[in-house]
Amino acid sequence: MDLRALPSVDRLLAQADALVAAHGRALATQALRAELAAIRQDRPHPLPDAGAILKAAARALDAAARSALRPVLNLTGTVLHTNLGRAVLADHAIAAALDAMRAPAALEFDLGSGGRGERDSHLRGLLCELTGAEDATVVNNNAAAVLIVLNTLARGREAVLSRGELIEIGGAFRMPAIMEQAGCTLREVGTTNRTHPRDYREAIGPDTALLMKVHTSNYRIEGFTAEVPAPDLARIAHDAGLPLVNDLGSGTLVDLRSWGLAPEPTVAEAVAEGADVVTFSGDKLLGGPQAGFIVGRRDIIAAINKNPLKRALRLDKIRIAATEATLRLYRDPDTLAERLPTLRLLSRPEAEIRAQAERLAPQVAQALGCAAAVVPCASQIGSGALPTDTIPSAGLALTPAPEALAARLRSLKTPIIGRIHDGALILDLRCLPDDAALLNALA
């Protein structure tokens, strides 16, 4: 084998106009040199010609240029999948974000007076309207919201919290650790399964800064249990001259029962029950971009906004624009499910999803060369919301060799993400926007 027959880099570059146009001369040269080096090492027979080498270099450059953070089809059955970016934004939110990116925006500029404005002003009125709170502010996620609230109200003092509410959220991020970083001391009361009003009253002392309630949105304790309802806890706090902080986690602005879903406490309910501060997420049940909302008493919100942490945790113009557009959708509950993807996906009828699975089963089987059976599924909301409740759904069970099938689907230009269960790769179709999305990805 005469490796001298291989074309030179210069000769290849002379035929690589498309490659250079797509990726630049430097990267094209580097890729061609890498392909030639691999050929010299592997010594294939027969040697590839110039056309084959150019195609191989193009494939390598295309693969390197493809971002790992790219769109996927979420067919896991978990609607708000943390590892897949949680909520899909509404068209209104996407359009608002694009507008904010394309041009300068009046982020901290008061168009009426011509003076300096506040970036929170774009969201404050909507949040107060939708929750009934006196005032509101926003940071980059709910963990940050809890952090800045505790740092503002309880730094150097004690925060009283039931042992049954010492949650751990994704990535081993624990409430006691957040409290420690906030500079306050956790005062645990009650037991894992039972906490009574007297436990809180007995824990209150000269170092107590606040009482706290945390909604256990990502787990349930059942059986011999007791907890103090938020209205009762608010009375205990206020009798002692203390604020009550209620962390809802995956908070919602609407009663989910209206769409056939299990109930979750709404932010407006938490405010009406007497909480002085309520914190909740923007990218979970609310269906917007990542954000942490803080609503409550005007004097407390003012103190939070003066905390130096606020600047470190604030939102940029893109997320503020998308968040504002999302909140505006909630002003018309009658059309919310049509315009908010999270609610639309959660409320999709099982019969509609099953019909979709029956249409797609033979086409998917043919495209992948495998068996595809229509099966019932149990979708989850995800992101810690309603962990013990599932939503009837339908999907496809692909066999045989589910691990190999899963790897093939993950390698597609638009990866398809399912889950392996009982010896099959399950594609739950609840979050599939239309048949074409799956068929085009497979094609």
Side-chain angles (χ1 to χ4, degrees), residues 328-343:
R328 288 189 182 282
L329 298 180
Y330 280 87
R331 303 180 80 180
D332 185 4
D334 293 339
T335 63
L336 186 60
E338 300 170 18
R339 299 190 291 172
L340 190 70
T342 293
L343 194 53

Side-chain angles (χ1 to χ4, degrees), residues 114-435:
R116 184 180 179 88
E118 294 182 15
R119 64 179 63 201
D120 284 356
S121 65
H122 302 285
L123 304 175
R124 181 180 295 115
L126 283 166
L127 285 168
C128 292
E129 173 189 333
L130 296 168
T131 66
E134 288 182 359
D135 204 352
T137 190
V138 60
V139 289
N140 67 334
N141 63 20
N142 190 52
V146 174
L147 175 71
I148 195 171
V149 167
L150 292 175
N151 182 262
T152 302
L153 299 180
R155 184 179 181 185
R157 302 179 66 193
E158 292 183 347
V160 180
L161 178 63
S162 168
R163 286 189 175 90
E165 298 173 3
L166 291 175
I167 65 167
E168 176 179 310
I169 58 178
F173 205 59
R174 298 177 173 182
M175 183 59 68
I178 298 175
M179 289 184 159
E180 182 179 353
Q181 290 300 312
C184 65
T185 301
L186 167 63
R187 179 69 184 272
E188 302 176 30
V189 298
T191 62
T192 302
N193 60 316
R194 291 177 70 81
T195 303
H196 304 283
R198 66 175 182 274
D199 295 319
Y200 290 98
R201 293 192 183 98
E202 292 170 0
I204 294 173
D207 291 331
T208 306
L210 57 85
L211 303 189
M212 187 171 186
K213 186 169 186 62
V214 177
H215 177 47
T216 55
S217 60
N218 60 354
Y219 69 94
R220 291 285 186 270
I221 299 175
E222 298 180 347
F224 187 57
T225 64
E227 67 172 310
V228 180
D232 296 343
L233 192 55
R235 282 191 288 272
I236 294 171
H238 297 160
D239 287 346
L242 300 172
L244 172 64
V245 175
N246 192 344
D247 173 29
L248 290 182
S250 181
T252 178
L253 296 175
V254 291
D255 186 346
L256 297 177
R257 289 174 294 188
S258 300
W259 293 273
L261 301 169
E264 274 277 278
T266 69
V267 181
E269 289 170 346
V271 170
E273 288 169 348
D276 300 279
V277 180
V278 182
T279 60
F280 57 104
S281 292
D283 58 339
K284 297 180 182 178
L285 282 173
L286 195 141
Q290 179 179 295
F293 297 111
I294 308 168
V295 302
R297 270 174 34 196
R298 187 172 291 108
D299 60 325
I300 293 179
I301 299 299
I304 290 169
N305 284 330
K306 292 177 182 177
N307 190 318
L309 282 174
K310 181 64 163 59
R311 183 174 181 85
L313 302 175
R314 69 185 184 180
L315 300 188
D316 68 352
K317 66 173 183 176
I318 302 167
R319 275 199 281 171
I320 287 177
T323 300
E324 180 186 15
T326 302
L327 291 174
R328 288 189 182 282
L329 298 180
Y330 280 87
R331 303 180 80 180
D332 185 4
D334 293 339
T335 63
L336 186 60
E338 300 170 18
R339 299 190 291 172
L340 190 70
T342 293
L343 194 53
R344 182 169 67 247
L345 295 175
L346 288 173
S347 60
R348 278 190 75 190
E350 177 188 8
E352 175 187 303
I353 304 171
R354 173 167 286 277
Q356 185 179 43
E358 291 170 349
R359 289 194 307 270
L360 287 170
Q363 300 176 79
V364 170
Q366 182 178 11
L368 292 174
C370 68
V374 177
V375 293
C377 295
S379 301
Q380 295 178 318
I381 291 179
S383 291
L386 300 171
T388 61
D389 294 282
T390 58
I391 312 169
S393 183
L396 303 176
L398 308 184
T399 55
E403 291 85 0
L405 285 168
R408 284 178 63 191
L409 295 185
R410 291 196 307 272
S411 70
L412 297 174
K413 184 176 181 181
T414 300
I416 300 170
I417 314 298
R419 60 185 176 87
I420 295 175
H421 179 69
D422 284 346
L425 175 61
I426 307 297
L427 304 182
D428 186 323
L429 303 187
R430 174 166 291 280
C431 294
L432 184 66
D434 51 54
D435 295 8

Side-chain angles (χ1 to χ4, degrees), residues 73-89:
L73 287 182
N74 173 18
L75 304 187
T76 63
T78 301
V79 177
L80 297 170
H81 200 301
T82 297
N83 297 343
L84 301 180
R86 294 181 178 164
V88 175
L89 297 191

Side-chain angles (χ1 to χ4, degrees), residues 25-44:
R25 188 175 184 84
L27 287 178
T29 302
Q30 182 180 340
L32 291 170
R33 284 175 176 160
E35 288 300 323
L36 290 172
I39 293 168
R40 292 188 181 99
Q41 180 177 341
D42 298 339
R43 304 175 71 87

